[in-house]
């Protein structure tokens, strides 16, 4: 498929986009919601290439919200989009089949946003929504929250952009809480499977996590326990 306006997305956002839409049918009947839209590029790229019916962009700060609005107007999508200056999804009515992206926000920020959504959204609508999350930090806390709240992690991957490795998580709400092992919490259930399959980008991403956890284990008992669990898993396999 020919892709247009490829210059709009850096490698990280392209990877987020690709995971968000992968395996989804009926995009013409779905809306894309970009939380923390900043420049609005993800929505423009998606409206051009995927045929989403509509885009909703939210940003907590007035400057980025205005920037997003201006970008949508410049690309001729003023009638196919709405921009909200709001915290997360506050004030946005969710619809069945929405694809919601949160990229470049901290994991704790995402948890706050998701927690409020779960409280107010219609459970049937919530179950039909696909979430694509690219947390800048606190991915362990985010995964723990997803598991405890009943969001199934249906995919995870790593991507590399200018020498930095990023995590992307795709989730859907099932309403059924579950438990993650410590290694799943800190590395990610799907990341661990991709590591076992020796996927090159994931191996590099995991190598960096290993280094980070080796350092932080000194002052963190949970990470020490997790690394023991990881060593045991490796010995068994
Ligand atoms: C680092 S930028 C990421 C922009 C874009 N999503 C990306 O991945 O390139 C984070 C953006 O999210 C916005 N933001 C941070 N917290 C937010 C929240 N709770 N709700 C909505 N927007 C938020 C910031 O104002 C900023 O524009």
């Amino acid at each position: 498929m020919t892709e247009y306006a490829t210059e709009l997305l850096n490698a990280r956002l392209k990877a987020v986009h690709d995971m968000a839409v992968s395996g989804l049918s009926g995009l013409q009947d779905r809306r894309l919601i970009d939380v923390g839209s900043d420049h609005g590029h993800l929505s423009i790229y998606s409206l051009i290439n995927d045929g989403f019916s509509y885009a909703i962009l939210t940003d907590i700060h007035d400057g980025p919200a205005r920037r997003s609005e201006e970008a949508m107007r410049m690309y001729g999508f003023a009638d196919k989009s709405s921009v909200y200056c709001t915290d997360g999804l506050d004030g946005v009515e969710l619809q069945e089949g929405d694809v919601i992206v949160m990229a470049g926000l901290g994991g704790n920020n995402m948890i706050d946003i998701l927690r409020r959504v779960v409280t107010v959204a219609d459970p049937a609508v919530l179950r039909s929504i696909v979430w694509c999350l690219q947390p800048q930090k606190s991915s362990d806390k985010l995964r723990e929250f997803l598991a405890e709240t009943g969001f199934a992690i249906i995919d995870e991957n790593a991507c590399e952009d200018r020498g930095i490795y990023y995590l992307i998580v795709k989730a859907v709400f099932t309403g059924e809480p579950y438990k993650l092992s410590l290694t799943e919490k800190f590395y990610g259930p799907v990341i661990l499977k991709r590591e076992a399959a020796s996927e090159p980008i994931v191996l590099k991403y995991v190598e960096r996590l290993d280094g980070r956890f080796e350092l932080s284990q000194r002052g963190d008992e949970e990470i020490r326990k997790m690394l023991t669990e990881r060593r045991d898993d490796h010995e068994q396999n």
Side-chain angles (χ1 to χ4, degrees):
M1 188 193 89
T2 313
E3 288 171 23
Y4 300 94
T6 49
E7 72 286 353
L8 284 176
L9 301 188
N10 55 29
R12 174 186 57 85
L13 265 183
K14 178 70 168 64
V16 170
H17 162 271
D18 290 352
M19 185 182 284
V21 299
S22 86
L24 291 186
S25 56
L27 291 183
Q28 69 283 356
D29 298 322
R30 293 176 185 264
R31 305 183 309 176
L32 175 79
I33 305 185
D34 183 13
V35 177
S37 57
D38 194 357
H39 33 63
H41 291 174
L42 179 71
S43 295
I44 295 165
Y45 179 90
S46 299
L47 284 173
I48 292 174
N49 290 291
D50 304 319
F52 278 102
S53 65
Y54 201 80
I56 291 185
L57 300 79
T58 86
D59 205 289
I60 199 166
H61 293 119
D62 195 53
R66 297 290 75 81
R67 198 158 48 233
S68 290
E69 207 163 48
E70 178 59 16
M72 299 311 284
R73 200 186 55 72
M74 269 180 53
Y75 277 84
F77 288 126
D79 295 342
K80 270 194 123 184
S81 62
S82 302
V83 180
Y84 294 72
C85 183
T86 189
D87 186 347
L89 288 157
D90 292 358
V92 176
E93 193 165 338
L94 301 183
Q95 284 181 14
E96 202 164 301
D98 282 345
V99 177
I100 304 183
V101 172
M102 294 200 247
L105 278 63
N108 286 320
N109 198 353
M110 291 183 185
I111 291 171
D112 290 342
I113 293 168
L114 287 165
R115 206 191 295 282
R116 292 199 302 278
V117 169
V118 170
T119 327
V120 298
D122 173 340
V125 171
L126 201 52
R127 281 181 167 77
S128 72
I129 288 171
V130 172
W131 298 83
C132 192
L133 312 171
Q134 184 266 301
Q136 293 294 75
K137 51 187 179 175
S138 311
S139 55
D140 54 322
K141 293 203 176 64
L142 178 62
R143 282 196 200 91
E144 189 167 56
F145 169 83
L146 292 174
E148 285 172 350
T149 315
F151 284 89
I153 295 174
I154 58 168
D155 199 5
E156 286 180 309
N157 211 342
C159 68
E160 188 260 338
D161 192 346
R162 286 163 291 174
I164 300 175
Y165 287 79
Y166 299 92
L167 166 74
I168 312 168
V169 179
K170 195 169 183 176
V172 291
F173 182 75
T174 64
E176 288 167 27
Y178 57 99
K179 272 218 156 299
L180 291 169
S181 69
L182 279 178
T183 47
E184 287 172 335
K185 173 178 164 182
F186 282 93
Y187 283 82
V190 185
I191 290 290
L192 289 170
K193 289 199 179 104
R194 291 186 184 275
E195 183 196 24
S198 298
E199 294 188 18
I201 294 222
V202 167
L203 290 180
K204 291 209 163 131
Y205 169 70
V206 162
E207 193 181 305
R208 279 157 179 77
L209 285 187
D210 286 340
R212 196 185 305 160
F213 293 141
E214 251 341 292
L215 285 179
S216 51
Q217 68 162 328
R218 293 176 199 165
D220 190 322
E221 199 184 329
E222 191 182 31
I223 293 184
R224 265 201 305 281
K225 251 176 95 177
M226 182 274 292
L227 288 178
T228 307
E229 186 181 300
R230 181 161 164 77
R231 275 189 285 273
D232 291 347
D233 287 348
H234 277 172
E235 275 164 27
Q236 277 166 25
N237 295 324

